[in-house]
Amino acid sequence: MRRSRPETVPVSGTVSTSGPRLARIGAWAALAAGPLALAVAFVMPRGPVAQAAPVPHADSASRLPADPAGTAALFVELWLRSDAAETDSPVAAALRSMAPSVQLPKRVRGGATPGALRVVPVRTVSSPDGWTVVVAALTIASPLASAASSPAPEPAAGTAPVVRYFAVSGTGGRDGGPLSVSASPAEVSAPETAPETAAGPFSHAVPSGAALSASLGEFLRTYLAGGQGAGLERYLSPGARLSAPAAAGYVRVDVEDVMSDTERAAGKEVPADGTRARVRVRVTGEDRAGTRWPLVYQLEVTTRAGRWEISALKGGAAGAATPAVAPSGSVAAPVAEGAR
């Protein structure tokens, strides 16, 4: 028997071996793509990527303009104390640092230098060319000036306080830059004041015989004569606190008039509990020396148990809160609702 052998079939052309190799590479790449995609999914963030905000540079930060009021007040105070005969003094050096070309007052030789008791800026006006500050200076009148203006001056004329006003002009101060005074100050008249305002919300007069007027009179007499030690708490609403001024020692307090913002507070009878009102009280207090002091108070009152009680105390016609001074000298809160 013949050994069987595989039969061969002749083919035309050559057989390429690159096809199977490329197929195998593609299969392995497809298998590796699955784990690679899974790893990328875990590594990449799921949300949007947050970018850091740009840090502003120091030179781009806005700076506040300098206030010339304090510089003008200091300049006037130094100028009032200066003397042209003392050009090398510390006062003259300080003035030249503010205004190099400033001219100083020429005083009589041997005369006293009238310094300023107090200097306060009262008005500031800004313009494209610079600024101008009006300064009020409380000074002592010169005895020589009084003698020149009057043939027989009174002995106390040299110690009489005088209020003078000076306008100081200068430049600078924008974007926090330095301030510069242009020249010597100019003495001017007092600034105009605003006309007297109306009574505002207090349009109802409370008669002197009304229950509210009586309660307010008793409260203010106690408040100005010693406060807590004299039983001030009995006039306050529940939860209200108040310390009387320690320096107050009026021997007599007279109520001049009472005005309210509601007509219900002007009646002789006390309204229902919980009725509130704002009142303005004008009183005159007489101290132990006999001096009579006109005082104005604004209060908030509330009715309870058939009487008016003090819920809040404010001072002045503008209604700004005024703290009361505790007997120890510390500042206490004004009358206000709160836990005792």
Side-chain angles (χ1 to χ4, degrees), residues 5-338:
R5 294 183 298 178
E7 296 182 359
T8 58
V9 180
V11 295
S12 61
T14 59
V15 178
S16 175
T17 61
S18 62
R21 185 179 298 110
L22 293 175
R24 288 194 299 270
I25 294 174
W28 284 109
L31 292 175
L36 182 61
L38 183 61
V40 171
F42 278 103
V43 173
M44 293 296 292
R46 297 179 179 272
V49 179
Q51 298 181 356
V55 179
H57 298 285
D59 55 354
S60 63
S62 60
R63 293 182 295 176
L64 296 176
D67 186 6
T71 299
L74 177 61
F75 179 77
V76 170
E77 183 172 0
L78 293 174
W79 187 78
L80 289 173
R81 297 177 182 273
S82 63
D83 190 351
E86 301 176 357
T87 56
D88 297 333
S89 64
V91 173
L95 285 170
R96 291 195 197 95
S97 65
M98 298 181 180
S101 60
V102 62
Q103 294 182 346
L104 307 182
K106 295 182 179 180
R107 306 188 185 278
V108 178
R109 182 172 299 180
T113 302
L117 298 178
R118 188 177 183 185
V119 178
V120 180
V122 295
R123 179 172 299 177
T124 301
V125 178
S126 299
S127 64
D129 299 331
W131 48 263
T132 299
V133 179
V134 178
V135 176
L138 180 62
T139 63
I140 297 298
S142 174
L144 297 177
S146 301
S149 59
S150 177
E154 297 181 0
T159 59
V162 177
V163 180
R164 303 168 66 183
Y165 296 88
F166 297 90
V168 181
S169 300
T171 57
R174 296 184 181 275
D175 298 329
L179 294 166
S180 176
V181 179
S182 301
S184 301
E187 188 156 3
V188 296
S189 60
E192 296 181 359
T193 58
E196 185 177 356
T197 58
F202 307 104
S203 56
H204 300 277
V206 180
S208 58
L212 178 57
S213 296
S215 298
L216 292 175
E218 294 177 6
F219 162 73
L220 289 175
R221 292 184 185 97
T222 305
Y223 177 73
L224 294 175
Q228 300 284 10
L232 184 65
E233 291 186 351
R234 69 175 181 266
Y235 300 103
L236 308 180
S237 298
R241 296 175 297 175
L242 176 65
S243 295
Y250 295 94
V251 297
R252 180 177 179 179
V253 176
D254 296 327
V255 178
E256 303 297 338
D257 63 77
V258 180
M259 300 293 294
S260 173
D261 65 340
T262 175
E263 189 176 359
R264 291 178 295 179
K268 291 186 177 182
E269 302 295 332
V270 179
D273 289 0
T275 303
R276 291 179 173 270
R278 290 187 299 165
V279 294
R280 186 193 64 195
V281 188
R282 299 181 187 270
V283 301
T284 300
E286 182 178 342
D287 59 17
R288 293 181 177 87
T291 305
R292 296 177 62 84
W293 301 88
L295 308 173
V296 178
Y297 291 90
Q298 289 189 21
L299 308 97
E300 293 182 7
V301 293
T302 309
T303 56
R304 186 179 71 92
R307 64 172 186 171
W308 288 98
E309 295 179 333
I310 310 302
S311 302
L313 169 64
K314 297 181 181 181
T322 301
V325 181
S328 60
S330 60
V331 177
V335 176
E337 296 293 344

